[in-house]
Amino acid sequence: MKRRLLNIFSACCLVLSLLVGGCGLLSLRDHRTLIHRRFDSKNDLRVNMVASCDAAIWLSTNTYRPQSGTTFSGLGWYFGPGSYGSTDRNWWRPYYFHHTGPSYDQRNLILPHWLVATFFLALGFPFMLSWGRHLRRRRRIGRKQCPVCGYDLRATPDHCPECGHANKVAIVPTGNSISIPPRGS
């Protein structure tokens, strides 16, 4: 059960790796932002954003303290074009910014898409290994070989003399293989 859960988690990480990598390519020409605006317990406006711009993922949390005569509107979730990015920075490496002022506190973490995609690809590696083992076993069974070690099983279809693996699926000899009398004769 643990191996199955690991394979499911690992396969999901592979899909995320492909999605993040694809979003990185798209973000070179089209910037997108997901924004959530809400009030916290101190009545400050909290704005959390995830943006994909210039082949980087921008994670941002901003807190705005209301000044006298200031009103905030437009609470909830928003999705739309992003306006992040800067030509003076190279976004091929991670950055962290923290800006504070009398009425705001801004924190930005910028991660390149390639870094996040590589992280998820590494987590997807166990699934790739198990899928490769599964394909190798199927290919060996089709060739009438032991699924464990690859030894030719046409002479002994019920077990492998090399590694001792007992075959659950009987291998039926074909026309060019060694002639084996049917069981029971």
Side-chain angles (χ1 to χ4, degrees), residues 10-114:
S10 186
C12 291
C13 287
L14 274 177
V15 171
L16 280 174
S17 173
L18 291 172
L19 288 174
V20 168
C23 287
L25 292 175
L26 289 175
S27 73
L28 290 171
R29 65 177 178 87
D30 191 20
H31 300 183
R32 292 290 169 190
T33 305
L34 177 64
I35 302 171
H36 181 245
R37 297 169 52 132
R38 65 178 174 83
F39 286 107
D40 62 8
S41 61
K42 299 177 191 173
N43 206 22
D44 294 340
L45 179 66
R46 175 77 59 142
V47 181
N48 296 316
M49 293 178 276
V50 176
S52 179
C53 305
D54 297 333
I57 298 172
W58 294 60
L59 305 170
S60 176
T61 180
N62 304 326
T63 305
Y64 300 101
R65 294 180 263 317
Q67 301 295 314
S68 59
T70 307
T71 58
F72 296 118
S73 62
L75 301 178
W77 289 94
Y78 300 95
F79 182 72
S83 60
Y84 293 99
S86 176
T87 57
D88 63 335
R89 293 267 185 195
N90 181 5
W91 303 121
W92 296 100
R93 67 180 186 93
Y95 288 94
Y96 176 75
F97 300 109
H98 185 196
H99 302 287
T100 57
S103 62
Y104 66 89
D105 182 18
Q106 298 176 337
R107 298 170 191 262
N108 295 312
L109 176 63
I110 299 139
L111 298 170
H113 278 279
W114 71 264

Side-chain angles (χ1 to χ4, degrees), residues 151-170:
Y151 188 80
D152 187 4
L153 292 181
R154 290 179 292 182
T156 56
D158 52 345
H159 73 283
C160 177
E162 185 77 17
C163 68
H165 175 74
N167 259 346
K168 296 176 185 171
V169 179

Side-chain angles (χ1 to χ4, degrees), residues 129-142:
L129 287 177
S130 72
W131 187 250
R133 282 190 302 264
H134 173 73
L135 291 177
R136 184 173 52 241
R137 289 175 68 90
R138 287 188 57 178
R139 187 175 55 245
R140 284 179 175 172
I141 289 171

